[in-house]
Amino acid sequence: LLFTVLRERSILLYVAFVLCFATAVIAMNGFGAQFLWPNAFEFGNRMLGVAFAASSLLAAIYARTYLDTARHAPRWHRLLGVLIVAHALVLLVALVGPLRLGFQLMSGGGVLNAILIFACGVVCAWRGVPGARILMLAWFALLFGAMLTALRNFGLLPTNALTANAMPIGSALEMLLLAF
């Protein structure tokens, strides 16, 4: 709805990111295999890596567009451009390469992506770029949720309602903040 009213390219990129991220979460928690692709085991395994890789790619493109890094932070613009190319390669591996390698690249690339986009948001906020503080806060909510989920997955935090749902909660907070 925001895109139909504002006609901002960044909103369309964000919607694509949210759709890919939601697909990844659905694949990760098993709802995709249960309801959307019940008889497609290989597809379901690939969908997790592909959707997370695509969401990382779209997040980097979105950050460049939303923060107008070409104008406000040219070095970050180039760095995020390199990150975009790297994510495109990870997406290709996730699509057709060995599953284990795709998951490893997707995981490492996702962490690097999150850190670099947050750091870019900090730099842009410091420079007074409009919207950078909101992006930084929203991205922190997503990062915090992902971190809690990862710590739970590694057995460093107990499984409870918060740690089991931390990523969707962080993602929902991020979406609400970026809707402003």
Side-chain angles (χ1 to χ4, degrees):
L1 290 173
L2 284 174
F3 176 72
T4 57
V5 172
L6 300 175
R7 300 285 184 200
E8 291 283 332
R9 179 177 176 244
S10 63
I11 293 171
L12 195 57
L13 287 167
Y14 184 69
V15 168
F17 161 74
V18 168
L19 289 174
C20 287
F21 192 82
T23 302
V25 170
I26 288 169
M28 184 175 67
N29 65 21
F31 289 140
Q34 186 176 1
F35 298 110
L36 300 176
W37 50 81
N39 299 319
F41 183 74
E42 175 70 20
F43 176 80
N45 282 340
R46 290 235 176 251
M47 185 51 65
L48 178 63
V50 167
F52 270 127
S55 67
S56 290
L57 172 70
L58 289 163
I61 295 169
Y62 168 74
R64 274 177 57 154
T65 304
Y66 179 80
L67 296 172
D68 193 10
T69 55
R71 188 170 58 140
H72 297 292
R75 287 185 184 160
W76 279 100
H77 187 76
R78 287 189 295 277
L79 182 60
L80 290 176
V82 170
L83 191 63
I84 288 166
V85 170
H87 283 307
L89 294 173
V90 170
L91 180 58
L92 183 62
V93 171
L95 275 169
V96 296
L99 279 175
R100 183 179 176 107
L101 178 62
F103 285 143
Q104 290 171 336
L105 291 173
M106 176 267 306
S107 295
V111 169
L112 181 63
N113 197 47
I115 292 167
L116 289 178
I117 290 175
F118 184 75
C120 181
V122 169
V123 168
C124 287
W126 183 265
R127 293 180 182 174
V129 175
R133 286 191 175 113
I134 292 283
L135 178 88
M136 201 174 61
L137 184 61
W139 206 252
F140 178 77
L142 181 62
L143 280 174
F144 190 71
M147 182 182 66
L148 287 179
T149 299
L151 291 172
R152 180 201 59 139
N153 290 345
F154 286 119
L156 300 172
L157 288 178
T159 298
N160 57 40
L162 177 63
T163 59
N165 297 299
M167 191 175 319
I169 292 168
S171 178
L173 287 172
E174 180 231 7
M175 284 188 276
L176 286 172
L177 287 166
L178 289 177
F180 290 124

